[in-house]
Amino acid sequence: MPFRGDIYYFGAGPAPLPTPVLEEASKVLLNYKDGGIGITEISHRSADANEILSHAKSGLRQLLDIPESDGPDGYQILFLHGGGSGEFSAVVYNLVSVWVAKQQKQLNIDINDESSLQRLRERVAQMKLDYLVTGSWSLKASQEAARLMGSEHVNVVSDSRKHREGKFGLIAEPSTWNSTKNDADVAFTYYCDNETVDGVEFPVSPSGPNLVADMSSNFLSRAVDVRKHAVIFGGAQKNIGTTGITIAIVSNAMLPPQADMADPTLLRKLGLSVGPVVLDWPTVAKNNSLYNTLPIFDVWIAGQVMQRLLDIHPSSSDSKIAGQQAESDQKSALLYSILDKHGQVYQVVPDKSARSRMNICFRVKGGDAEAEKAFVKGAESQGLFGLKGHRSVGGIRISNYNAVPVAAAEKLAAYLETFASQ
């Protein structure tokens, strides 16, 4: 039977967690703070739960330099249910509500007056949700927006498949983008910073009104200009913790009292969707993420992972995430260098201009099924697991998340060399 130290896991999610965090977790599951009960048994309304939430928020603020929660320029950190897919919907529900309320105020609309309401309907007909479609996840997000609001409101700013013979694998030049011309019509601009299925990552953040980023798979792997964004969200199960929570960083400019939210009655009169309360950011923020029962153990794990990053990468620079960013860059550069060196054996899928540091996607011998099976089998014999590509695209995928140590990347690089030489 193999021990944990004998195995290196490169799965795309749920992803590996740091062993020291798991060792401590095994203790608190049984007896938290020597209180005689385990952490999964404590009340989410307790002082301990609030302390766990506070610790996780503090760690995230330090790592990503998130402005404090107070004031118009601040940001709220929310812990939610539903995963990244839940936030596909939450983004639409919340930011459309903010946009509609803003139009109502500007037009001085009386919702009980039909002629007044008709003016607002005409304005809503011009509303656009701008989506950059660069891979499978941003495509799903745009499809969810179309399902909720109608395809006439979704503007695909760029579809990478149109620039690559019908397949994902690059980020088109901004000069080719078809952004909505009038910023006032745009409720938000949406992009997925790192596409796990297709191995594409934005080199730098794009721009657009009320910028929203799905950072599920590269959270805490590099510095982020939070102030450029209205919302950043990510599922925890890749770089932050266990499956079960989603983290959203929401600008106060998108929340009461800085922003009004449209009344559900008005939204219904306009024929727009009204979202479930568990995805309502103002409700979650007002209740300190405790509107309903939050899995506090998952928040504790996230907080421990964040604290570990602060502890093992002390930095004298302004960026607390600089050490982890350097490590992520080091691992990905090593692996890509071997793949490029043996181009006759390995073919990297995405364009070099947009290669992901987190999800390294490639084919063996041009996608030869037997060669790829042999590659995976040989890797597993060396204790290297989780290398099969996503079921929708096949091939090989190395998920290079934060908890994958440099030693794992080095061992995999050696295997890549050996396999190529055979």
Side-chain angles (χ1 to χ4, degrees):
M1 181 180 72
F3 294 98
R4 182 174 178 84
D6 300 329
I7 300 297
Y8 289 129
Y9 183 64
F10 299 90
L17 284 162
T19 297
V21 171
L22 289 178
E23 289 173 339
E24 186 62 25
S26 69
K27 299 174 185 175
V28 301
L29 275 170
L30 185 63
N31 192 351
Y32 181 66
K33 292 176 66 174
D34 296 325
I37 62 172
I39 192 171
T40 60
E41 300 164 302
I42 66 173
S43 169
H44 64 297
R45 307 286 185 195
S46 65
D48 282 338
N50 276 278
E51 181 182 58
I52 289 167
L53 272 166
S54 178
H55 179 253
K57 289 180 181 180
S58 174
L60 190 57
R61 284 196 191 279
Q62 292 179 68
L63 287 164
L64 294 185
D65 186 27
I66 301 171
E68 290 300 325
S69 58
D70 297 332
D73 298 324
Y75 284 75
Q76 301 292 323
I77 297 173
L78 310 179
F79 293 87
L80 306 117
H81 307 267
S85 297
E87 292 309 290
F88 294 171
S89 307
V91 165
V92 175
Y93 289 136
N94 286 278
L95 296 187
V96 165
S97 180
V98 169
W99 187 89
V100 170
K102 183 177 181 181
Q103 310 313 306
Q104 180 190 9
K105 187 174 182 179
Q106 289 178 346
L107 297 172
N108 193 25
I109 298 298
D110 178 0
I111 68 172
N112 296 311
D113 178 67
E114 184 56 35
S115 62
S116 180
L117 198 58
Q118 183 57 30
R119 286 193 292 129
L120 183 55
R121 288 195 185 100
E122 292 170 0
R123 182 73 187 99
V124 168
Q126 298 173 297
M127 178 185 69
K128 295 296 180 184
L129 317 179
D130 276 8
Y131 278 79
L132 288 157
V133 176
T134 55
S136 300
W137 291 112
S138 51
L139 176 62
K140 286 179 182 292
S142 70
Q143 291 170 337
E144 175 66 355
R147 188 182 73 86
L148 294 175
M149 293 294 154
S151 59
E152 68 273 16
H153 291 297
V154 175
N155 173 45
V156 176
V157 174
S158 178
D159 186 336
S160 296
R161 295 171 296 181
K162 294 181 179 179
H163 302 270
R164 208 167 189 255
E165 299 179 344
K167 295 183 179 181
F168 291 120
L170 59 72
I171 296 169
E173 287 294 322
S175 60
T176 68
W177 295 0
N178 181 36
S179 302
T180 299
K181 290 181 172 58
N182 184 3
D183 284 356
D185 294 341
V186 182
F188 59 84
T189 305
Y190 186 106
Y191 75 105
C192 180
D193 202 34
N194 184 79
E195 295 276 6
T196 58
V197 174
D198 306 286
V200 170
E201 185 175 26
F202 274 82
V204 295
S205 299
S207 298
N210 295 335
L211 191 62
V212 176
D214 174 358
M215 293 187 177
S216 293
S217 52
N218 63 353
F219 231 156
L220 302 184
S221 70
R222 65 180 181 185
V224 177
D225 186 355
V226 174
R227 294 163 180 81
K228 186 178 180 179
H229 295 78
V231 181
I232 295 170
F233 73 84
Q237 68 274 13
K238 300 181 188 297
N239 265 344
I240 303 174
T242 48
T243 304
I245 56 168
T246 310
I247 299 174
I249 304 166
V250 183
S251 168
N252 283 348
M254 299 294 112
L255 295 167
Q258 272 73 39
D260 295 322
M261 308 293 284
D263 187 273
T265 300
L266 173 60
L267 293 173
R268 282 192 289 270
K269 287 186 176 184
L270 295 171
L272 297 174
S273 297
V274 178
V277 69
V278 291
L279 296 181
D280 184 68
W281 294 334
T283 299
V284 176
K286 182 180 178 180
N287 289 276
N288 190 30
S289 299
L290 297 170
Y291 175 76
N292 60 339
T293 306
L294 187 69
I296 290 298
F297 175 64
D298 298 315
V299 179
W300 180 88
I301 288 280
Q304 296 301 305
V305 169
M306 294 171 196
Q307 186 61 55
R308 187 170 182 273
L309 288 177
L310 290 168
D311 292 342
I312 66 175
H313 294 301
S315 174
S316 58
S317 71
D318 293 334
S319 174
K320 298 291 186 182
I321 203 67
Q324 185 57 51
Q325 179 170 334
E327 184 175 299
S328 297
D329 292 347
Q330 175 191 353
K331 291 185 294 178
S332 62
L334 170 63
L335 294 167
Y336 277 123
S337 70
I338 304 299
L339 296 173
D340 288 338
K341 176 182 174 182
H342 298 287
Q344 76 282 8
V345 178
Y346 307 120
Q347 294 80 44
V348 177
V349 173
D351 187 81
K352 199 167 188 176
S353 63
R355 288 178 175 179
S356 169
R357 299 163 306 121
M358 296 288 102
N359 306 101
I360 300 169
C361 299
F362 62 97
R363 305 308 299 252
V364 179
K365 289 288 186 179
D368 180 274
E370 292 305 314
E372 290 183 342
K373 285 180 183 178
F375 178 88
V376 171
K377 184 177 180 180
E380 290 177 350
S381 73
Q382 300 293 314
L384 304 166
F385 286 82
L387 292 168
K388 288 181 68 174
H390 191 272
R391 62 186 181 279
S392 66
V393 294
I396 309 297
R397 175 172 56 175
I398 303 167
S399 291
N400 180 37
Y401 298 134
N402 288 353
V404 174
V406 173
E410 291 172 341
K411 184 173 181 178
L412 179 53
Y415 172 69
L416 288 166
E417 284 276 15
T418 300
F419 186 86
S421 69
Q422 294 172 351

